[in-house]
Amino acid sequence: MIMDKSIEVVVLFLWFFSIAAFNFSLCSGDPKVVCTQRERQALLSFKKGLKDPSNRLSSWDGEEDCCTWIGVSCNNITGNVVGLHLGNPISYSDDEITGENEAYERSKLAGDINPSLLELKHLNYLDLSLNDFGGITIPDFLGFLRGLRYLNLTEAQFGGRIPHQLGNLSSLRYLSLKGDYNLYADDLGWLSHLSSLEYLDMSSVDLHKAVDWLQVVNTLPSLSELHLSSSSLDNIPPSLGYVNSTSLVVLDLSFNLFNCTIPNWLFNLNNSLLHLDLSDNFLQGQIPNAMNFKSLQFLDLSGNGNIEGRIPSSLWNLCNLRVLSLSVNNFRGEIGSARNLSGCIGKSLESLDLSSNQLTGHIPNWLGQLKSLKHLYLGVNSLYGPIPSSLGNMSSLTHLYLHHNELNGTLPESLGLLSELEELDIQSNSLGGIVTETHFAKLSKLKVMVMSWNSLVFKVNSVWIPPFQLEKIGMISCIMGPKFPSWIRKQKSLYSLNFFRAGISDTIPIWFWNLTSHISYISLADNQIHGEISNIRFESKIVDLSSNYFKGRLPCLSPNVTVLRLSRNLISGPLSPLLCKKIDEHKNLQILDLSENLLSGELPQCWMYLQSLSLLNLGSNNLFGKVPSSMGSLISLTSLQLHNNNFFGDLPMSLQNCTYLEFINLGENKLSGNIPSWMGEKTTNLGVLRLRSNEFSGNIPPQICHLTSLLVLDLANNRLSGAIPPCLNNISMMATRRSSDNDLLIRFYDFGHYEENLILVTKGRESEYKSILRFVRSMDLSNNNLSGVIPSEISSLSALSFLNLSQNHLNGKIPENIGGMTSLESLDFSRNHLSGEIPQSMSNLTFLAHLDLSYNNFSGKIPFSTQLQSFSALNYIGNPELCGAPLLINCTRNEESEGNTSVGDDEEESEITWFYLSMVPGFVVGFWGVFSVLLFKKNWRYAYFQFLEDKIEHIYVTSVLKLSWLKRKLKKNQVNE
Ligand SMILES: *[C@@H]1O[C@H](CO)[C@@H](O)[C@H](O)[C@H]1NC(C)=O
Ligand SMILES: *[C@@H]1O[C@H](CO)[C@@H](O)[C@H](O)[C@H]1NC(C)=O
Ligand SMILES: *[C@@H]1O[C@H](CO)[C@@H](O)[C@H](O)[C@H]1NC(C)=O
């Protein structure tokens, strides 16, 4: 029995043991492997060299098995460390408010790379991406990590020359040095040793010295992805003897400086290429019609500016193409007919971007067969004819952009079938006809609808409930009225609504004000909308109700409001209810335009509450009193317009705190005292100074001459005395024909812009200058008590277009060099005491369209030129000793009367033509600031067109976009920076 018992025990024991052993092997697989002491020490030393502000390596500590440390991976048999995954785990996302990303920044590792890393003999994976090594060079010794197969240094902030020792990493399959802007390579010979390399990304590394880049890349037989975007590459050979890189699948050479015709070999690389990106270079010439890649899925040649010719039909035969972008180039001719289509393209194409070219002809019907197409961008071309109704068949379409073309006809009802459509932009065409409910029948996903600048008439039933919830609607100059469109009442997702000049002639419904609390941008400007706004509280960021019949007292503003434009309405009462709110209430208000209303009373002393105010226009109201000293607290102010009111007294000294002022218009008041000398000392950015028709007295302070950016100086109709300061030639903006680079005259804000306008008396009459104001250079000192001579320095103001010194007491001669003022279009010296002969050089003033020298004491013969004789005799009258044509007084008996005395009425025509001629280059240069940024951000291009929707004319968009030489110039500059 005992025996039995002991056997039983042994059996039980064995059974137990086997179960336990079985369990053990079940639970932990192989016997537990731990990392070696040596490698653990190496990692600890490596950690010591690092700075780790977020302490994400806290597990790298103590006696623990280092294979369990965060970011460390080991071989599961030997326990050797094989991988270090130390890329920043926090992903970057811009904080909307601070523009920073604190968590991301904090979790960056920094410091040094300790050579102890070399102890990790089996390391094959090293990821240090998105850290911040502060510009140190990539350590040479990384080249000794012979087992390395994966090295990711993406945006790890290494700098300096890439060490050639990396060429020893002969097992490397994956290498990314992307985005380390301070890295450069002088040659890439070392790369050719990486014979296993499959993936290489050196985007944003400076490779402009690496002229051998292509030869080297061509020796890498396994390379399948090559990313060399923004690498300052400028040479690409026209031919490549033998192509070894037959495995290439992805080739990204975008944003480089290639400035040559498209090399043919690129289009015959191999059959496996799927992705070819050559966008944003300076490539020229035509796309070769013969292409070798049958599998291509992605082709981007956009933003080169000069790729030209027709769109080769071979492109339409790439059956696997999913994305085709040819935008911002010079493609001409028609998009093409369907005749040569293989019939397969429609199967795969998802995005087609042909925008910003010179394409003409009709939008082809066959596009309607592209059933997979989601994005169709044809904007900014010269396409004409109707929108084909076949587009209604594109059942996957989400984005349809046909803006800035010459499309005409009506909007096809079939568009109402595009049930996936989210964004529709057809602005700036010549579309007409009626838009009804049918056009939107199935558009339940529509979010963006922009139809501005057409002649479309929107006619829907007053009880219509649209199937969509719009976020943005732009209907500038479409007819939405006369009734206020009631269907928008149910649009609860709107953030932008633009009914500028939309033919609405109605009372504003009360519900509209409730709706606006969600809408960030509202424009109802230029309609005939009635309504009382006294008790309304505006919640939107931007409100433009200009040019309507709104009446009542000023409304309340929430702190959200940044732009309030109520000019040209019937708003009455004092300013104080709007302005004199608690501190912070208006802290975001930047643009306040209340001009041309019926506001009355004095200016309140509450300006200290508007710290952000940059533009204030109270012109043409019934305001009176002194300009309060608290206005000096508007330290952000760039534009101050108080013209055409009844303000009197001296300007407060405190205004000199407004040092950013660029635009001052205080004309047509009763302001008195001296013109403050601080204007030249403090407000040195001043571009427009208009004090016309006040009671200013004293001298013109010579400090005015410090205003080198001045475009317009209008001091006419005051009581100024003394001499004209000779230093006026220091106003360099009037002396050189450069374009004004400060954007004082046009202010862009989210979703729109504010254009300054100014009444100027030019050529003897008042004209309103708006968009062309930035090209004007005008000086008007007329109707004062100025005396002395006209300083000869004035003749160096060669950019000045309008000069008026009439009705003063000036004497002496016209400066001899007046002919140097070659831009003069209008010159008025009448009603002074000037004498002597009219200088011969005046005959150089070939743009002169208006001249008045009447009522002086000029003598002698009027110099002969086509210009001077074309003016009427009246312009010379009152100078008894003057003779010659066009006066009927002959200078000598034998001289025949020459010229004619009649003035052509085409004067006005030529004025306008000249202005537009001279403004094109100016505009382009000035506009460049905005445009340049956009060029570099592909994704912004479309946003930019939407932003242009507001008022900028079609002509600007097309001409600017197509001036590729400018683009080139700019890009070069950017690269050099
Ligand atoms: C050990 O690693 C190898 C290769 O890395 C892998 O295939 C295997 O599944 C791993 N074994 C265990 C038990 O994790
Ligand atoms: C390299 O690192 C970057 C940044 O962390 C990451 O986006 C990228 O996917 C990595 N590359 C690979 C192939 O893992
Ligand atoms: C292409 O590859 C072959 C074979 O691998 C090699 O002999 C030749 O030198 C390579 N050509 C170039 C241009 O690298």
Side-chain angles (χ1 to χ4, degrees), residues 442-467:
K442 297 208 168 138
L443 305 192
S444 59
K445 296 187 176 167
L446 197 65
K447 293 194 178 97
V448 173
M449 170 165 124
V450 181
M451 301 191 173
S452 299
W453 307 110
N454 281 293
S455 308
L456 294 166
V457 178
F458 216 86
K459 254 197 196 135
V460 292
N461 194 306
S462 61
V463 295
W464 181 50
I465 297 177

Side-chain angles (χ1 to χ4, degrees), residues 726-866:
C727 59
L728 285 177
N729 60 337
N730 290 339
I731 303 180
S732 53
M733 193 52 81
M734 295 185 179
T736 50
R737 259 203 156 276
R738 74 192 156 93
S739 152
S740 162
D741 43 5
N742 64 28
D743 42 4
L744 73 158
L745 305 170
I746 183 158
R747 264 156 237 273
F748 292 101
Y749 48 80
D750 290 358
F751 314 108
H753 70 272
Y754 183 100
E755 223 170 356
E756 297 275 13
N757 66 351
L758 197 62
I759 306 280
L760 291 177
V761 181
T762 56
K763 308 187 188 179
R765 59 174 183 269
E766 284 194 348
S767 337
E768 186 179 1
Y769 284 81
K770 213 167 173 168
S771 53
I772 58 175
L773 186 56
R774 64 188 306 144
F775 308 104
V776 170
R777 307 286 186 275
S778 169
M779 187 186 292
D780 191 344
L781 308 178
S782 64
N783 197 16
N784 278 292
N785 298 321
L786 299 170
S787 54
V789 299
I790 300 176
S792 65
E793 287 83 355
I794 214 165
S795 55
S796 56
L797 298 181
S798 59
L800 201 63
S801 330
F802 308 113
L803 176 60
N804 190 347
L805 303 178
S806 68
Q807 301 181 71
N808 279 294
H809 309 300
L810 300 170
N811 56 37
K813 301 170 107 182
I814 297 181
E816 208 54 49
N817 296 330
I818 186 123
M821 303 179 77
T822 46
S823 305
L824 271 187
E825 293 173 51
S826 170
L827 179 63
D828 192 344
F829 287 160
S830 65
R831 293 171 202 269
N832 275 293
H833 311 305
L834 299 168
S835 57
E837 297 200 355
I838 298 173
Q840 185 62 41
S841 75
M842 266 187 82
S843 56
N844 298 342
L845 302 180
T846 43
F847 289 121
L848 207 58
H850 177 86
L851 174 71
D852 197 344
L853 300 179
S854 61
Y855 301 102
N856 278 289
N857 298 318
F858 292 119
S859 56
K861 182 174 185 290
I862 298 173
F864 187 76
S865 79
T866 41

